[in-house]
Amino acid sequence: MSNPKPIIGVLALQGAVELHKAHIEACGAEYLAVKTPAHFAQVDAFILPGGESTTMLKLIERFNLWDSLAKEFSKKPVWGICAGSILMASKVISPAQKAFGLLPITIERNGYGRQLESCHVQILGYEVSFIRAPIITEISDDVEILSQYDNKPVWVQLGNKIASTFHPELNKQYPSPMHKYFVDLVRENA
Amino acid sequence: MGKNSSSSGVINIKTGLAEMLKGGVIMDVVTAEQAKIAEGAGAIAVMALERVPSDIRKDGGVARMSPPDLIEEIMAVSSIPVMAKCRIGHFAEAQLLESIGVDYIDESEVLTPADEEYHINKHDYKVPFVCGAKNLGEALRRIGEGAALMRTKGEPGTGNIVEAVRHMRRINAEIKHVCNIDEAELMTLARDMGAPFELLQLVRKEGKLPVPNFAAGGIATPADAALCMQLGAESVFVGSGIFKSDNPDKFAKAIVKATAHFDDPAIVLEASKELGGVAMRGTEISEIDEPMLMANRGW
């Protein structure tokens, strides 16, 4: 059974939330900014957006959201972008911090350096942005690499869990191929 | 790596970082020790400066860019973005900050201006800039010069939110006005506001500023942060409020909490009860001598 109009929840504790709306709607799905357990239960899938992973992590713990999010993540598709990909990793370095362990990858925070190293690149012929981006430094054999840049995996998938270290949402050509890929996956999973 | 400039239709890399900083609190810090407290409390970024605004008011003298070694120490202990302030028009200080490798430069009226006529040409830099504004014309002039993020000027170091509210409401009202007038009136408005015409056209098309707009200047309580966010600020800068309060760690955490749930009074109330002491003592704007009105610095 495929769900023609799934609800995609963007975790709205902090970060680049609203920019996903136009991309999600262009895929024919529904956008919802979510920050409480009542919201989490309503959505068919999650996007963990770009922002500051330390801030998000602290808010998740301070608002006691860890368990309810972990439970939802275990049964629904999740796509983490930049800071969101850090929250999904099984191991975070530089510095070490807690994560949900949704993907067997090791991720190095700000691996490419500071803002002066931020840049635009083409992935699948679509312009995306690396902003103080993390690097996926280790990856388990069962994780599929959807795209590489500079000989490093930048867009990876295992089952219904996807991580990208770049931002497609800053491009105003809707939808991005990455949003389309994710919404298609959500539809197939429903 | 890839390129620094973007194709049309893609938010540029400088404003891209500002997009990532939405929905959070940027905290003024003077030392690495304070930077650690700020990051631990959940700040999205820290702002390095020589003295917090309330001390600049109290002690007087010329307020300059923070000493480079202090900024480097702050960068060394921070995993979140580090911003630093330079004086209005002091492009050599900006060059130093870019060489140090800070993530954002605030060309700030909090410091003593170096140039009373010209602001920095911010297009010349790879590092992004944030600037303050009291009204739409001023915001668009700064964006015209290359600012990638705007903030209200407010009246820093006072713990008095009235000026930040005035600036946020004024910019909102002027944006609505730009959207409502006849297109034929736009050039006259550009002349009167002293705003670049093309940027005014863009505001009219999008119904908002071309870059994010944060609140700054006088935020001293969780309720102040919630007020600014509900008025349309997309994040808040907190200066003297945190490290001039009784318990900076608790205070910083409370402001972060209130900002994340600015539209839920029950959570803002909870945050207000967790302050761990009283807020900084505030200053009535009319008690300030004219040369120390920071919002009037720059044009």
Side-chain angles (χ1 to χ4, degrees), chain A residues 12-17 19 35-36 50-52 54-55 58-59 62-63 94-95 97 109-110 112 114-122 127 129-132 149-150 167 169-173, chain B residues 1-7 9-14 16-17 19-23 39-44 75 79-82 98 101 103 126-128 206 253 256-257 260-261 263 267:
Chain A
L13 293 170
Q14 189 274 314
V17 177
L19 290 172
K35 50 184 172 183
T36 63
E52 277 308 313
T54 54
T55 305
K58 289 185 173 80
L59 291 171
R62 238 166 263 163
F63 294 122
S94 174
Q97 64 187 36
R109 289 187 56 210
N110 304 326
Y112 292 101
R114 310 189 71 95
Q115 173 64 12
L116 288 171
E117 314 310 319
S118 294
C119 64
H120 298 282
V121 308
Q122 300 279 331
E127 190 165 317
S129 313
F130 283 92
I131 298 179
R132 287 174 47 94
Y149 179 74
D150 203 15
H167 299 271
E169 75 277 12
L170 295 167
N171 192 323
K172 292 181 179 175
Q173 280 174 277
Chain B
M1 288 292 277
K3 60 198 174 84
N4 191 233
S5 61
S6 58
S7 316
V10 181
I11 295 173
N12 75 49
I13 214 76
K14 294 176 171 180
L17 178 56
E19 294 286 342
M20 300 307 139
L21 298 177
K22 283 184 175 176
E39 180 166 337
I44 42 162
M75 286 164 66
S79 76
I80 56 178
V82 175
E98 183 168 67
D103 297 294
K126 204 176 164 197
V127 60
E206 305 261 332
K253 283 180 179 154
V256 169
K257 188 169 180 172
H261 281 277
D263 50 358
I267 295 179

Coordinates of all heavy atoms in Angstrom, one line a residue, chain A residues 12-17 19 35-36 50-52 54-55 58-59 62-63 94-95 97 109-110 112 114-122 127 129-132 149-150 167 169-173, chain B residues 1-7 9-14 16-17 19-23 39-44 75 79-82 98 101 103 126-128 206 253 256-257 260-261 263 267:
Chain A
A12 N 11.9 20.6 14.5 CA 12.0 22.1 14.5 C 12.5 22.7 15.8 O 12.0 23.7 16.2 CB 10.6 22.7 14.1
L13 N 13.5 22.0 16.4 CA 14.0 22.5 17.6 C 15.0 23.7 17.3 O 15.1 24.6 18.1 CB 14.8 21.4 18.4 CG 13.9 20.3 18.9 CD1 14.8 19.2 19.4 CD2 13.0 20.8 20.0
Q14 N 15.6 23.7 16.2 CA 16.6 24.7 15.8 C 17.1 24.4 14.4 O 17.1 23.2 14.0 CB 17.8 24.7 16.8 CG 18.7 25.9 16.6 CD 19.8 25.7 15.6 OE1 20.4 24.6 15.5 NE2 20.0 26.6 14.7
G15 N 17.4 25.4 13.6 CA 18.1 25.2 12.4 C 17.2 25.6 11.1 O 16.3 26.3 11.2
A16 N 17.7 25.1 10.0 CA 17.1 25.4 8.7 C 15.8 24.5 8.4 O 15.9 23.6 7.7 CB 18.1 25.3 7.6
V17 N 14.7 24.9 9.0 CA 13.5 24.1 9.0 C 12.6 24.4 7.8 O 12.3 23.6 7.0 CB 12.7 24.2 10.4 CG1 11.4 23.5 10.3 CG2 13.6 23.8 11.5
L19 N 12.9 26.0 5.1 CA 13.4 25.9 3.7 C 12.9 24.5 3.1 O 12.9 24.4 1.9 CB 14.9 26.0 3.6 CG 15.5 27.3 3.9 CD1 17.0 27.2 4.0 CD2 15.1 28.3 2.9
K35 N 8.0 19.5 17.0 CA 8.9 19.6 18.1 C 8.3 19.0 19.4 O 9.0 19.1 20.5 CB 9.4 21.0 18.3 CG 8.4 22.1 18.4 CD 9.2 23.5 18.5 CE 8.2 24.7 18.4 NZ 8.9 26.0 18.4
T36 N 7.2 18.3 19.4 CA 6.7 17.7 20.6 C 6.3 16.2 20.2 O 6.0 15.9 19.1 CB 5.4 18.4 21.1 OG1 4.4 18.3 20.1 CG2 5.7 19.8 21.4
G50 N 19.6 20.8 9.0 CA 20.8 21.4 9.3 C 20.7 22.4 10.4 O 19.6 22.9 10.6
G51 N 21.8 22.7 11.1 CA 21.7 23.6 12.2 C 22.9 23.3 13.0 O 24.0 22.9 12.5
E52 N 22.8 23.5 14.3 CA 23.9 23.1 15.2 C 23.6 21.8 16.0 O 22.6 21.8 16.8 CB 24.2 24.3 16.2 CG 25.1 25.3 15.6 CD 26.4 24.8 15.0 OE1 27.1 23.9 15.6 OE2 26.7 25.1 13.8
T54 N 25.0 20.3 18.4 CA 25.1 20.4 19.9 C 23.9 21.0 20.5 O 23.4 20.5 21.5 CB 26.4 21.2 20.3 OG1 26.3 22.5 19.7 CG2 27.7 20.6 20.0
T55 N 23.4 22.0 19.9 CA 22.2 22.7 20.4 C 21.0 21.8 20.3 O 20.2 21.6 21.3 CB 21.9 24.0 19.5 OG1 23.1 24.8 19.6 CG2 20.8 24.8 20.1
K58 N 21.2 19.1 23.0 CA 20.9 19.6 24.3 C 19.4 19.8 24.5 O 18.8 19.6 25.5 CB 21.7 20.9 24.6 CG 23.1 20.6 24.7 CD 24.0 21.7 25.1 CE 25.4 21.3 25.5 NZ 26.2 21.0 24.2
L59 N 18.7 20.3 23.4 CA 17.3 20.6 23.5 C 16.5 19.2 23.6 O 15.5 19.1 24.3 CB 16.8 21.4 22.3 CG 17.3 22.9 22.4 CD1 17.0 23.6 21.1 CD2 16.7 23.6 23.5
R62 N 17.0 18.2 27.1 CA 16.4 19.1 28.1 C 14.9 19.0 28.1 O 14.2 19.1 29.1 CB 16.8 20.5 27.9 CG 17.5 21.1 29.1 CD 18.2 22.4 28.7 NE 19.6 22.2 28.5 CZ 20.4 23.1 27.9 NH1 19.9 24.2 27.4 NH2 21.6 22.9 27.7
F63 N 14.3 18.7 26.9 CA 12.9 18.5 26.8 C 12.4 17.1 26.9 O 11.3 16.7 26.6 CB 12.4 19.2 25.5 CG 12.5 20.7 25.4 CD1 13.2 21.3 24.4 CD2 11.9 21.5 26.4 CE1 13.4 22.6 24.3 CE2 12.0 22.9 26.3 CZ 12.8 23.4 25.3
S94 N 35.3 14.5 17.2 CA 35.8 15.8 17.0 C 34.8 16.9 17.3 O 34.5 17.7 16.4 CB 36.4 16.0 15.6 OG 36.7 17.3 15.3
P95 N 34.3 17.1 18.5 CA 34.5 16.1 19.6 C 33.4 15.0 19.7 O 32.4 15.1 18.9 CB 34.3 17.1 20.9 CG 33.3 18.1 20.4 CD 33.5 18.3 18.9
Q97 N 30.3 13.0 20.7 CA 29.0 13.4 21.4 C 28.0 12.3 21.1 O 28.2 11.4 20.2 CB 28.5 14.7 20.9 CG 28.1 14.8 19.4 CD 27.8 16.3 19.0 OE1 28.3 17.2 19.5 NE2 26.8 16.4 18.1
R109 N 32.7 15.9 13.1 CA 32.1 17.2 13.0 C 33.0 18.3 12.4 O 34.2 18.2 12.6 CB 31.7 17.7 14.4 CG 30.5 16.9 15.0 CD 30.0 17.5 16.3 NE 29.7 18.9 16.1 CZ 29.8 19.8 17.1 NH1 30.3 19.5 18.2 NH2 29.4 21.1 16.8
N110 N 32.5 19.2 11.6 CA 33.2 20.3 10.9 C 34.5 19.7 10.3 O 35.5 20.4 10.3 CB 33.6 21.3 11.9 CG 32.4 21.9 12.7 OD1 31.3 22.0 12.1 ND2 32.6 22.3 13.9
Y112 N 35.4 19.4 7.2 CA 36.0 20.1 6.1 C 36.6 21.5 6.6 O 37.2 22.2 5.9 CB 35.0 20.4 5.1 CG 34.5 19.2 4.3 CD1 33.3 18.6 4.6 CD2 35.2 18.6 3.3 CE1 32.8 17.5 4.0 CE2 34.8 17.5 2.6 CZ 33.6 17.0 2.9 OH 33.1 15.9 2.3
R114 N 36.2 25.3 8.9 CA 35.3 26.4 9.3 C 34.5 27.0 8.1 O 34.6 26.5 7.0 CB 36.1 27.5 10.0 CG 37.0 26.9 11.1 CD 37.5 28.0 12.0 NE 36.5 28.6 12.8 CZ 36.2 28.2 14.1 NH1 36.9 27.3 14.7 NH2 35.3 28.8 14.8
Q115 N 33.8 28.1 8.4 CA 33.0 28.7 7.3 C 33.8 29.1 6.1 O 33.2 29.0 5.0 CB 32.2 29.9 7.9 CG 31.5 30.8 6.9 CD 30.3 30.0 6.3 OE1 29.9 28.9 6.7 NE2 29.7 30.6 5.2
L116 N 35.0 29.5 6.2 CA 35.8 29.9 5.1 C 36.0 28.7 4.1 O 36.2 28.9 2.9 CB 37.2 30.4 5.5 CG 37.1 31.8 6.1 CD1 38.5 32.2 6.7 CD2 36.7 32.9 5.1
E117 N 35.8 27.5 4.5 CA 35.9 26.3 3.6 C 34.5 25.9 3.0 O 34.4 25.0 2.2 CB 36.4 25.1 4.3 CG 37.7 25.3 5.1 CD 38.8 26.1 4.4 OE1 39.0 25.8 3.2 OE2 39.4 27.0 5.0
S118 N 33.4 26.6 3.5 CA 32.1 26.3 3.0 C 32.0 26.5 1.5 O 32.7 27.5 1.0 CB 31.0 27.1 3.7 OG 31.0 26.7 5.1
C119 N 31.2 25.7 0.7 CA 31.2 25.9 -0.7 C 30.0 25.3 -1.4 O 29.2 24.5 -0.7 CB 32.5 25.3 -1.3 SG 32.5 23.5 -1.1
H120 N 29.8 25.6 -2.6 CA 28.7 25.0 -3.4 C 29.3 23.9 -4.4 O 30.4 24.2 -4.9 CB 28.0 26.0 -4.3 CG 27.3 27.1 -3.6 ND1 26.1 27.0 -3.0 CD2 27.7 28.4 -3.3 CE1 25.8 28.1 -2.4 NE2 26.7 29.0 -2.6
V121 N 28.7 22.8 -4.5 CA 29.1 21.8 -5.5 C 27.9 21.2 -6.2 O 26.8 21.4 -5.8 CB 29.9 20.7 -4.8 CG1 31.0 21.2 -3.9 CG2 29.0 19.8 -4.0
Q122 N 28.2 20.5 -7.3 CA 27.1 19.8 -8.0 C 27.0 18.3 -7.6 O 28.0 17.6 -7.6 CB 27.4 19.9 -9.5 CG 27.5 21.3 -10.1 CD 26.2 21.9 -10.4 OE1 25.2 21.2 -10.7 NE2 26.1 23.2 -10.3
E127 N 22.8 21.9 -7.8 CA 23.7 22.6 -6.9 C 23.4 22.5 -5.4 O 22.3 22.9 -5.0 CB 23.8 24.1 -7.3 CG 24.9 24.9 -6.6 CD 25.2 26.2 -7.3 OE1 25.3 26.3 -8.5 OE2 25.4 27.2 -6.5
S129 N 25.0 22.7 -1.1 CA 25.9 23.5 -0.3 C 26.5 22.7 0.8 O 25.8 21.9 1.5 CB 25.2 24.7 0.3 OG 24.4 25.4 -0.7
F130 N 27.8 22.8 1.0 CA 28.5 22.2 2.2 C 28.8 23.4 3.1 O 29.5 24.4 2.7 CB 29.8 21.6 1.8 CG 29.7 20.2 1.2 CD1 29.6 20.1 -0.2 CD2 29.7 19.1 2.0 CE1 29.5 18.8 -0.8 CE2 29.6 17.8 1.4 CZ 29.5 17.7 0.0
I131 N 28.2 23.4 4.3 CA 28.4 24.5 5.2 C 28.9 24.0 6.6 O 28.3 23.3 7.3 CB 27.0 25.3 5.5 CG1 26.6 25.8 4.1 CG2 27.2 26.4 6.5 CD1 25.3 26.5 4.2
R132 N 30.2 24.3 6.8 CA 30.9 23.8 8.0 C 30.5 22.3 8.2 O 30.1 21.8 9.2 CB 30.4 24.6 9.3 CG 31.0 26.0 9.4 CD 30.4 26.7 10.6 NE 30.4 26.0 11.8 CZ 31.3 26.0 12.8 NH1 32.4 26.8 12.6 NH2 31.2 25.3 13.9
Y149 N 31.7 12.9 -2.9 CA 32.3 14.1 -3.4 C 33.7 14.1 -2.8 O 33.9 13.8 -1.6 CB 31.5 15.3 -3.0 CG 32.2 16.6 -3.4 CD1 32.1 17.0 -4.8 CD2 32.9 17.4 -2.5 CE1 32.8 18.1 -5.2 CE2 33.6 18.5 -3.0 CZ 33.5 18.9 -4.3 OH 34.2 20.0 -4.8
D150 N 34.7 14.5 -3.6 CA 36.1 14.6 -3.2 C 36.5 13.2 -2.5 O 37.2 13.2 -1.5 CB 36.2 15.7 -2.1 CG 37.6 16.3 -2.0 OD1 38.4 16.0 -2.8 OD2 37.8 16.9 -1.0
H167 N 23.7 20.3 1.9 CA 22.4 20.9 2.0 C 21.8 21.1 0.6 O 22.3 21.9 -0.1 CB 22.4 22.3 2.6 CG 22.9 22.3 4.0 ND1 22.1 22.1 5.1 CD2 24.2 22.4 4.5 CE1 22.8 22.2 6.2 NE2 24.1 22.3 5.9
E169 N 18.6 21.9 0.4 CA 17.4 22.8 0.6 C 17.6 24.3 0.4 O 16.7 25.1 0.3 CB 16.9 22.6 2.1 CG 17.7 23.2 3.2 CD 18.8 22.4 3.7 OE1 19.2 21.4 3.0 OE2 19.4 22.7 4.7
L170 N 18.9 24.7 0.2 CA 19.2 26.1 0.0 C 19.0 26.4 -1.5 O 19.1 27.6 -1.9 CB 20.7 26.4 0.4 CG 20.9 26.3 1.9 CD1 22.4 26.3 2.2 CD2 20.2 27.4 2.6
N171 N 18.8 25.4 -2.4 CA 18.5 25.6 -3.8 C 17.0 25.8 -4.0 O 16.2 25.1 -3.4 CB 19.0 24.4 -4.6 CG 19.0 24.7 -6.1 OD1 18.1 25.3 -6.6 ND2 20.0 24.1 -6.8
K172 N 16.7 26.9 -4.7 CA 15.2 27.2 -4.8 C 14.6 26.6 -6.1 O 13.5 27.0 -6.5 CB 15.0 28.7 -4.8 CG 15.4 29.3 -3.4 CD 15.2 30.8 -3.3 CE 15.5 31.4 -1.9 NZ 15.4 32.8 -1.9
Q173 N 15.3 25.7 -6.7 CA 14.6 24.9 -7.8 C 14.0 23.7 -7.1 O 14.7 22.8 -6.5 CB 15.6 24.4 -8.8 CG 16.1 25.4 -9.8 CD 17.2 24.8 -10.6 OE1 18.3 24.8 -10.2 NE2 16.8 24.3 -11.8
Chain B
M1 N 37.9 21.8 -3.0 CA 36.5 21.8 -2.8 C 35.8 22.7 -3.9 O 36.5 23.1 -4.8 CB 36.1 22.4 -1.4 CG 36.4 21.5 -0.2 SD 35.3 20.0 -0.1 CE 33.9 20.7 0.7
G2 N 34.5 22.9 -3.7 CA 33.7 23.5 -4.8 C 33.9 25.0 -4.8 O 34.8 25.5 -4.3
K3 N 32.9 25.7 -5.3 CA 33.0 27.1 -5.5 C 32.3 27.9 -4.4 O 31.4 27.4 -3.7 CB 32.6 27.6 -6.9 CG 31.1 27.2 -7.2 CD 30.9 27.3 -8.7 CE 29.5 26.8 -9.0 NZ 28.5 27.8 -8.9
N4 N 32.7 29.2 -4.2 CA 32.2 30.0 -3.2 C 30.9 30.8 -3.6 O 30.1 31.1 -2.8 CB 33.3 31.0 -2.8 CG 33.0 31.7 -1.5 OD1 33.0 32.9 -1.5 ND2 32.6 31.0 -0.5
S5 N 30.8 31.0 -4.9 CA 29.6 31.8 -5.3 C 28.6 30.8 -5.8 O 28.9 29.7 -6.2 CB 30.0 32.7 -6.5 OG 30.5 31.9 -7.6
S6 N 27.3 31.2 -5.8 CA 26.2 30.3 -6.2 C 25.6 30.8 -7.5 O 25.7 31.9 -7.9 CB 25.2 30.3 -5.1 OG 24.7 31.7 -4.9
S7 N 24.9 29.8 -8.1 CA 24.1 30.1 -9.3 C 22.9 30.9 -8.8 O 22.5 30.9 -7.6 CB 23.6 28.9 -10.0 OG 24.7 27.9 -10.1
G9 N 19.2 31.5 -7.9 CA 18.2 30.5 -7.4 C 18.7 29.6 -6.3 O 18.1 28.8 -5.8
V10 N 20.0 29.9 -5.9 CA 20.6 29.1 -4.8 C 21.0 30.1 -3.7 O 21.7 31.1 -4.1 CB 21.8 28.2 -5.2 CG1 22.3 27.5 -4.0 CG2 21.4 27.3 -6.3
I11 N 20.6 30.0 -2.5 CA 21.0 30.9 -1.4 C 22.5 30.8 -1.2 O 23.1 29.7 -1.2 CB 20.3 30.4 -0.1 CG1 18.8 30.6 -0.2 CG2 20.8 31.2 1.1 CD1 18.0 30.1 0.9
N12 N 23.2 31.9 -1.2 CA 24.6 31.9 -1.2 C 25.2 31.3 0.1 O 24.5 31.3 1.1 CB 25.2 33.2 -1.6 CG 25.2 34.2 -0.5 OD1 25.5 34.0 0.6 ND2 24.7 35.4 -0.8
I13 N 26.5 31.0 0.0 CA 27.1 30.2 1.1 C 27.2 31.0 2.4 O 27.1 30.5 3.5 CB 28.5 29.7 0.6 CG1 28.7 28.3 1.3 CG2 29.6 30.7 0.9 CD1 28.0 27.2 0.7
K14 N 27.2 32.4 2.2 CA 27.3 33.2 3.4 C 26.0 33.3 4.1 O 25.9 33.1 5.4 CB 27.7 34.7 3.0 CG 29.1 34.8 2.4 CD 29.3 36.2 1.9 CE 30.8 36.4 1.5 NZ 31.0 37.8 1.1
G16 N 23.7 31.1 3.7 CA 23.4 29.7 4.1 C 23.7 29.4 5.5 O 23.0 28.7 6.2
L17 N 24.9 29.9 6.0 CA 25.2 29.7 7.4 C 24.2 30.3 8.3 O 23.8 29.8 9.3 CB 26.6 30.1 7.7 CG 27.1 30.0 9.2 CD1 26.9 28.5 9.7 CD2 28.5 30.5 9.4
E19 N 21.1 30.7 7.7 CA 19.9 29.9 7.7 C 20.0 28.8 8.7 O 19.1 28.4 9.4 CB 19.7 29.2 6.3 CG 19.3 30.2 5.2 CD 17.9 30.8 5.3 OE1 17.1 30.2 6.0 OE2 17.7 31.9 4.7
M20 N 21.3 28.3 8.9 CA 21.5 27.2 9.9 C 21.5 27.7 11.3 O 21.3 26.9 12.2 CB 22.9 26.6 9.6 CG 23.1 26.0 8.3 SD 21.8 24.8 7.9 CE 21.5 25.2 6.2
L21 N 21.6 29.0 11.5 CA 21.6 29.6 12.8 C 20.2 30.0 13.3 O 20.1 30.6 14.4 CB 22.6 30.8 12.9 CG 24.0 30.5 12.5 CD1 24.8 31.8 12.5 CD2 24.6 29.5 13.5
K22 N 19.2 29.7 12.5 CA 17.8 30.1 12.9 C 17.3 29.3 14.1 O 17.7 28.2 14.4 CB 16.9 29.9 11.7 CG 17.0 30.9 10.7 CD 16.0 30.7 9.6 CE 16.0 31.8 8.6 NZ 15.0 31.5 7.5
G23 N 16.5 30.0 14.9 CA 15.8 29.4 16.0 C 16.7 29.2 17.2 O 16.5 28.3 18.0
E39 N 28.4 27.3 25.0 CA 28.2 26.1 24.2 C 27.5 25.1 25.1 O 26.6 24.4 24.6 CB 29.5 25.6 23.6 CG 29.3 24.3 22.8 CD 30.5 24.0 21.9 OE1 31.3 24.8 21.6 OE2 30.6 22.8 21.5
G40 N 27.9 24.9 26.3 CA 27.3 23.9 27.2 C 25.8 24.2 27.4 O 25.0 23.3 27.7
A41 N 25.4 25.5 27.4 CA 24.1 25.9 27.6 C 23.2 25.7 26.4 O 22.0 25.8 26.4 CB 24.0 27.3 28.1
G42 N 23.8 25.5 25.2 CA 23.1 25.3 24.0 C 23.1 26.5 23.0 O 22.2 26.6 22.1
A43 N 24.1 27.4 23.1 CA 24.2 28.5 22.2 C 24.4 27.9 20.8 O 25.0 26.9 20.6 CB 25.3 29.4 22.5
I44 N 23.9 28.6 19.7 CA 24.1 28.2 18.4 C 25.4 28.7 17.9 O 26.0 28.3 16.9 CB 23.0 28.5 17.4 CG1 22.5 30.0 17.6 CG2 21.9 27.5 17.4 CD1 21.8 30.6 16.5
M75 N 38.0 30.2 19.8 CA 37.9 29.2 18.6 C 38.3 27.9 19.0 O 37.7 26.8 18.6 CB 38.6 29.7 17.4 CG 37.8 30.9 16.7 SD 38.9 31.8 15.5 CE 39.1 30.6 14.3
S79 N 33.1 24.2 19.5 CA 32.8 23.4 18.3 C 31.7 24.1 17.5 O 31.3 23.7 16.3 CB 32.4 22.0 18.7 OG 31.1 21.9 19.2
I80 N 31.0 25.1 18.0 CA 30.0 25.9 17.3 C 30.6 27.1 16.6 O 31.8 27.4 16.9 CB 28.9 26.3 18.3 CG1 29.5 27.2 19.5 CG2 28.1 25.1 18.9 CD1 28.4 27.7 20.4
P81 N 29.9 27.7 15.7 CA 30.5 28.9 15.0 C 30.9 30.0 16.0 O 30.3 30.2 17.0 CB 29.4 29.4 14.1 CG 28.5 28.2 13.9 CD 28.5 27.4 15.2
V82 N 32.0 30.6 15.6 CA 32.5 31.8 16.4 C 32.4 33.0 15.5 O 33.0 33.1 14.4 CB 34.0 31.5 16.8 CG1 34.5 32.8 17.5 CG2 34.1 30.3 17.8
E98 N 39.2 37.9 9.3 CA 39.1 36.9 8.2 C 40.4 36.0 8.3 O 40.3 34.8 8.1 CB 39.0 37.6 6.9 CG 38.8 36.5 5.8 CD 38.4 37.1 4.5 OE1 39.1 37.9 3.8 OE2 37.3 36.8 4.0
G101 N 40.2 33.5 10.8 CA 39.3 32.4 10.4 C 38.0 32.3 11.1 O 37.4 31.2 11.2
D103 N 34.0 32.6 11.8 CA 32.9 32.1 10.9 C 32.0 33.3 10.5 O 31.3 33.2 9.5 CB 32.1 31.1 11.7 CG 32.9 29.8 12.0 OD1 33.4 29.2 11.0 OD2 33.2 29.6 13.2
K126 N 35.5 36.8 2.0 CA 34.9 35.4 1.9 C 34.1 35.1 3.1 O 33.1 34.4 3.1 CB 36.1 34.4 1.7 CG 35.6 33.2 1.0 CD 36.8 32.2 0.7 CE 36.2 30.8 0.4 NZ 37.2 29.8 0.6
V127 N 34.5 35.7 4.2 CA 33.8 35.5 5.5 C 32.5 36.3 5.5 O 32.5 37.4 5.0 CB 34.7 35.8 6.7 CG1 35.1 37.3 6.7 CG2 34.0 35.5 8.0
P128 N 31.4 35.8 5.9 CA 30.1 36.5 5.9 C 30.1 37.6 7.0 O 30.8 37.5 8.1 CB 29.1 35.5 6.2 CG 29.7 34.3 6.8 CD 31.2 34.4 6.4
E206 N 9.3 39.1 -2.5 CA 9.4 38.0 -1.5 C 8.6 38.3 -0.3 O 8.3 37.3 0.5 CB 10.9 37.7 -1.1 CG 11.8 37.5 -2.3 CD 12.1 36.0 -2.5 OE1 12.0 35.2 -1.6 OE2 12.3 35.7 -3.7
K253 N 20.8 28.8 29.7 CA 20.0 27.7 29.4 C 18.5 28.1 29.3 O 17.8 27.6 28.5 CB 20.1 26.6 30.5 CG 21.4 25.8 30.4 CD 21.5 24.7 31.5 CE 22.8 23.9 31.3 NZ 23.3 23.3 32.5
V256 N 17.8 29.8 26.0 CA 17.8 28.9 24.9 C 16.5 28.1 24.9 O 15.9 27.9 23.8 CB 19.0 27.8 25.0 CG1 18.8 26.7 24.1 CG2 20.3 28.5 24.8
K257 N 16.0 27.7 26.0 CA 14.8 27.0 26.2 C 13.6 27.9 25.7 O 12.7 27.4 24.9 CB 14.6 26.6 27.6 CG 13.4 25.7 27.9 CD 13.6 25.2 29.4 CE 12.4 24.3 29.7 NZ 12.6 23.6 31.0
A260 N 13.5 28.3 21.8 CA 13.1 27.1 21.1 C 11.6 27.0 21.1 O 11.0 26.5 20.1 CB 13.8 25.9 21.6
H261 N 11.0 27.4 22.2 CA 9.5 27.3 22.3 C 8.9 28.6 22.6 O 8.1 28.8 23.5 CB 9.1 26.3 23.4 CG 9.3 24.8 23.0 ND1 8.3 24.2 22.3 CD2 10.3 24.0 23.2 CE1 8.7 22.9 22.1 NE2 9.9 22.8 22.6
D263 N 6.7 30.3 21.2 CA 5.3 30.5 21.0 C 4.5 29.6 22.0 O 3.2 29.5 21.9 CB 4.9 30.1 19.6 CG 5.4 28.7 19.2 OD1 6.2 28.1 20.0 OD2 5.1 28.3 18.0
I267 N 6.1 26.9 28.4 CA 7.5 26.6 28.4 C 8.4 27.9 28.7 O 9.3 27.8 29.5 CB 8.0 25.9 27.1 CG1 7.2 24.6 27.0 CG2 9.5 25.8 27.1 CD1 7.5 23.8 25.8

